[in-house]
Amino acid sequence: YNIFNKLCKDDSSGIRKRMIHMVLSTDMSKHFTDLGVFKQRTTSDNFQPDDKDKLLCMGVGIHLADISNPTKHWELTLKGD
């Protein structure tokens, strides 16, 4: 079932691009590369988290949520099982 079938091609491809980026943001093999890019962008004078750098920020947010899982209390972790 295609949940995007009522969207125009540009909208559906934009959503697909973001979804793929979010999934790939959890890849730990790219952690230090992505962290370096994020540090470089956030310290630049033209950092634009609500425009040009939005996708980067979204990916970092997903990555942070993914790697923070081990910091949960054991009881909370067990609830997820």
Side-chain angles (χ1 to χ4, degrees), residues 26-37:
T26 64
D27 183 356
M28 281 302 295
S29 70
K30 296 176 23 185
H31 173 80
F32 291 106
T33 303
D34 290 348
L35 181 61
V37 170

Side-chain angles (χ1 to χ4, degrees), residues 7-52:
L7 297 175
C8 71
K9 185 174 175 103
D10 288 343
D11 288 345
S12 63
S13 62
I15 291 171
R16 184 176 186 278
K17 174 185 171 185
R18 288 180 192 90
M19 290 174 72
I20 290 170
H21 181 77
M22 297 300 109
V23 170
L24 294 178
S25 294
T26 64
D27 183 356
M28 281 302 295
S29 70
K30 296 176 23 185
H31 173 80
F32 291 106
T33 303
D34 290 348
L35 181 61
V37 170
F38 184 70
K39 283 182 177 182
Q40 182 182 22
R41 289 298 309 138
T42 56
T43 57
S44 96
D45 291 335
N46 65 345
F47 179 60
Q48 301 171 354
D50 57 345
D51 187 29
K52 180 180 172 190

Side-chain angles (χ1 to χ4, degrees), residues 53-65:
D53 298 306
K54 188 174 192 172
L55 193 58
L56 174 65
C57 292
M58 290 168 60
V60 168
I62 293 293
H63 183 61
L64 289 172

